[in-house]
Amino acid sequence: VAITAGRLRRFEKLMQRRPLLLNSVLLRQNPHNVNEWLKRVSLFEGKPREIVNTYTEAIKTIDPKLATGKLSLLWIEFAKFYEENKQLKEARVIFDKAVLVPFVKVDELADVWSHYIETELRHECYEEALKHVRTATTPPPHKPSYFDRTEPVQNRVYRSLKLWSMYADLEESLGDFTTTKNVYYRILDLRIASPQVILNFAGLLEEKNYFEESFKIYERGIGMFKWPLVYDLWTTYLSKFVTRYGGDKLERARDLFEQALDQCPEKFAKAIFLLYAKLEEDFGLKRHAMAVYNRATQAVLKEEQAEMFQIYITRATACFGVTHTRQIYEQALETLPDADARVFGQRFAELETKLGEI
């Protein structure tokens, strides 16, 4: 019985150690497996000394070029461990080492920097946060390409949009309008802006009543992107321009709409045509608005044509009366597929009946 009890205790201990033993086997097979190292850390939950030793062994063992998984996550979690244990100084030491690691991808270094900055912000160390983001976005003298793999990631991270977006947010919150504007212009000069960055910058300028400068930013952004990425830029720009100037700069507005519609894919044409037609109805000529609606019926997606014809008919009725819709109905019957044509044919017949033409 005593022998059996002893064997049971040994078996229980073995079963308790089984996850750790299995993890050791997997790490011997691939010592560069980041996920297994993180799993090993979790097995030592509640044992801070073993956790620190495991993190330390992991970062000494893993070769960044051979790492399986995101090596940056290991460094971030190590720093986070110290932060959660109220050891900010030690967390900073880990981050300071992490930003020097020769990661394979620039995104990993950008992740480390962003977590470093967020850590400082959580502890209300705002100047430190700004110092870090400025360091991360300072270009080396020769300014290599983001995709030049012959250069270390430390020389390329200055082109990370993630870090520049964080920089802009920090300046907007902690700096002033001038410093924020300068950051946005640097993003544009680096040609790394996304459409959302353009919208944010233009919105900031508009908020400060720099309307013409905001419109120039929209135009600069539109020049950087192609369809479909320019869709939100065009629709926002056109709406803001019309709201700002109404009919005071009608020819310029018309020119902008024509530029927007030039090479505009069918999928995105409807919204722009409707904005254009509304401009003409509100500030231009009704017949110009009808011409815009007419163009729209041929420029939108096939499945949107019926809806576009109905809008055209509704607005023509409002502007010129129902008799002006005959030609539109005839055009719709020639253009639309049979199913939609039948519906419009019935409506046309009902119209003619009301007018006493049948």
Side-chain angles (χ1 to χ4, degrees), residues 7-8 12 14 17 22 32 55 68 77 80 86 90 109 114 119 126 200 204 218 227 243-244 251 283 295 343:
R7 287 176 178 174
L8 282 172
E12 287 172 0
L14 182 62
R17 295 182 60 217
L22 180 60
H32 310 287
Y55 275 124
T68 304
E77 290 297 321
K80 186 178 176 183
K86 305 186 187 308
E90 285 75 10
L109 179 56
S114 62
T119 299
Y126 303 123
N200 292 347
L204 173 70
Y218 282 120
W227 289 95
T243 301
R244 172 66 179 164
E251 287 306 316
F283 307 107
R295 285 171 60 191
V343 175

Side-chain angles (χ1 to χ4, degrees), residues 310-333:
Q310 188 54 54
I311 294 171
Y312 185 9
I313 290 167
T314 301
R315 298 314 304 152
T317 302
C319 293
F320 297 105
V322 291
T323 55
H324 191 82
T325 63
R326 283 194 176 107
Q327 187 178 353
I328 303 172
Y329 272 113
E330 290 169 0
Q331 184 183 344
L333 294 175

Side-chain angles (χ1 to χ4, degrees), residues 49-66:
R49 186 183 297 276
E50 285 83 351
I51 289 175
V52 170
N53 289 340
T54 302
Y55 275 124
T56 304
E57 185 182 358
I59 60 179
K60 286 181 179 178
T61 302
I62 297 174
D63 181 340
K65 293 181 181 178
L66 301 176

Side-chain angles (χ1 to χ4, degrees), residues 99 106-118 129 132-138 146 153 156-170 183 187 192:
V99 296
V106 180
D107 286 346
E108 290 205 65
L109 179 56
D111 283 344
V112 171
W113 273 118
S114 62
H115 278 85
Y116 197 177
I117 294 160
E118 288 167 0
H132 295 327
V133 77
R134 286 167 183 159
T135 300
T137 54
T138 299
Y146 183 88
V153 290
R156 296 183 279 148
V157 75
Y158 78 98
R159 294 183 66 88
S160 168
L161 179 57
K162 180 178 183 177
L163 291 176
W164 278 103
S165 298
M166 183 175 277
Y167 193 0
D169 290 342
L170 284 175
V183 170
I187 294 173
I192 58 172

Side-chain angles (χ1 to χ4, degrees), residues 63-94:
D63 181 340
K65 293 181 181 178
L66 301 176
T68 304
K70 292 186 70 174
L71 179 56
S72 58
L73 185 59
L74 188 71
W75 285 94
I76 291 165
E77 290 297 321
F78 193 5
K80 186 178 176 183
F81 167 77
Y82 277 123
E83 183 194 0
E84 289 175 347
N85 284 277
K86 305 186 187 308
Q87 294 176 274
L88 181 59
K89 183 178 178 182
E90 285 75 10
R92 284 172 173 157
V93 170
I94 298 303

Side-chain angles (χ1 to χ4, degrees), residues 250-251 253-255 257-258 261 272-296 312 315-316 319-320 324:
L250 188 57
E251 287 306 316
R254 284 171 174 159
D255 184 55
F257 274 104
E258 292 298 337
L261 290 169
I272 297 175
F273 271 113
L274 290 177
L275 284 172
Y276 194 180
K278 190 173 189 311
L279 169 77
E280 292 292 355
E281 283 194 54
D282 292 345
F283 307 107
L285 299 172
K286 297 289 191 294
R287 61 184 178 84
H288 284 177
M290 295 304 107
V292 172
Y293 285 124
N294 185 46
R295 285 171 60 191
Y312 185 9
R315 298 314 304 152
C319 293
F320 297 105
H324 191 82

Side-chain angles (χ1 to χ4, degrees), residues 205-227:
L205 292 167
E206 181 190 5
E207 189 181 302
K208 301 294 183 180
N209 297 324
Y210 287 74
F211 296 103
E212 276 299 324
E213 191 172 357
S214 77
F215 294 153
K216 288 178 182 177
I217 295 303
Y218 282 120
E219 291 173 3
R220 188 167 173 180
I222 287 164
M224 292 170 64
F225 301 102
K226 296 181 180 180
W227 289 95

